[in-house]
Amino acid sequence: MLRRTNLRFGHTLRLGIASDGLALVRINRLFGRAPVLLAEQRLDLFAPDALATGLSALFADHAPGGWTVSVVLADELIRLWQVTPPQGATRMGDLEGAAALRFQHLFGAPPSEWVIRADWDATRPFLASAAPLNLLNGLLLAAETYRFHLVDIRPQFVAALNHWRQARRAGAWFGQVHGGVLSLAAYDGAVLMAVRSSPIPAGADRDWLESHVAREALRVGVGRPERLQLCGAAPAAWGSSPGRLKFACSLLEQNAGDGWSDLARLARTGVPA
């Protein structure tokens, strides 16, 4: 069983939540120690009481009482979209209203059952995300029940984007490969223009990647990037190689295929391996 005294030595917990399961990872921020997978629990998150039942099983041998816990939500559970602030916006309410209207337009329903958070900005387009209200309430109840400190909840792509923000080079797009899906942050200079996700077809090679990026640039209405920087389990063949002239491709995590499951990698997103 985990003991509260470990907190003073820089330990924290990461909980990954996907539609098909949970994973619990221990992070030690001191001395560059590698994260440790503690447990995984398979489930159907959309079944009745699935989260509560799954957490009970996950914590059976790893009680989190007294620990700080950060949560990473798989991107299939949340919504991500870009919001253009209204002209002349001066109040937070203007930005919140624009985000809610854009949510309803894109996803075909009012956001009453979702919680919206964003990098609010009245001067340029900003990224917004929404998580299901019932899922967040379930996590708050779990924190109270198991007496852990819930310090952060964020989408996987946002966790990765924030982690690698300082590494992004001028003229580059950022991407994440996880669970057979490629998610791209398309930039125009320093401005984030869109986030787009697409399934990766079987056997997708570098030629597929170059064609896909070119199509996404056309859809977003920006130029093709000079470089693509990818995190996650990206195929090694996607990295730059001699004779490739369309754009460079950098793989930010050379050891992403290190035997960790998708659930475990979800939980440790944004943490050095």
Side-chain angles (χ1 to χ4, degrees):
M1 180 177 291
L2 305 175
R3 298 188 184 278
R4 184 169 183 162
T5 52
N6 284 340
L7 284 176
R8 67 185 66 177
F9 298 111
H11 289 75
T12 187
L13 298 178
R14 278 289 195 94
L15 173 63
I17 302 179
S19 60
D20 62 348
L22 312 170
L24 187 66
V25 170
R26 184 180 66 220
I27 309 298
N28 187 341
R29 301 188 182 279
L30 299 179
F31 312 118
R33 293 177 181 173
V36 176
L37 174 63
L38 299 177
E40 294 185 9
Q41 180 65 39
R42 293 288 173 176
L43 53 79
D44 176 4
L45 190 63
F46 304 111
D49 299 319
L51 181 62
T53 303
L55 288 174
S56 177
L58 193 73
F59 294 150
D61 295 321
H62 303 284
W67 284 68
T68 60
V69 177
S70 297
V71 177
V72 182
L73 300 178
D75 290 336
E76 74 263 15
L77 302 179
I78 57 92
R79 302 288 183 265
L80 282 175
W81 71 103
Q82 200 74 351
V83 181
T84 300
Q87 187 173 6
T90 59
R91 300 178 301 110
M92 182 60 122
D94 299 330
L95 304 179
E96 291 173 338
L101 286 174
R102 185 64 177 158
F103 178 99
Q104 184 160 349
H105 174 76
L106 290 173
F107 305 115
S112 55
E113 298 300 318
W114 299 75
V115 176
I116 296 176
R117 295 291 182 265
D119 293 327
W120 308 106
D121 195 319
T123 61
R124 62 182 185 179
F126 56 85
L127 182 65
S129 66
L133 179 60
N134 62 346
L135 176 58
L136 299 183
N137 286 339
L139 287 171
L140 291 174
L141 178 60
E144 180 179 352
T145 301
Y146 296 100
R147 300 184 178 180
F148 60 81
H149 306 288
L150 185 59
V151 296
D152 185 55
I153 303 172
R154 65 183 57 195
Q156 183 186 20
F157 188 74
V158 172
L161 186 64
N162 288 343
H163 176 72
W164 294 106
R165 189 181 300 275
Q166 298 301 319
R168 195 179 74 83
R169 297 174 57 174
W173 286 13
F174 173 79
Q176 174 184 262
V177 175
H178 183 83
V181 174
L182 171 61
S183 297
L184 294 173
Y187 287 85
D188 184 9
V191 179
L192 176 62
M193 300 300 294
V195 174
R196 299 183 64 87
S197 297
S198 301
I200 302 170
D205 58 10
R206 177 61 187 259
D207 289 332
W208 175 86
L209 179 66
E210 293 183 349
S211 298
H212 178 72
V213 169
R215 288 193 299 270
E216 293 303 308
L218 285 174
R219 290 177 177 137
V220 176
V222 298
R224 190 173 55 201
E226 300 173 11
R227 178 179 295 271
L228 177 62
Q229 294 176 281
L230 292 175
C231 71
W238 287 7
S240 294
S241 57
R244 296 294 186 180
L245 301 178
K246 292 181 180 179
F247 60 83
C249 182
S250 302
L251 306 185
L252 298 170
E253 296 177 289
Q254 298 294 336
N255 61 343
D258 53 6
W260 284 56
S261 68
D262 281 349
L263 279 175
R265 286 199 298 268
L266 168 67
R268 79 174 195 196
T269 299
V271 176

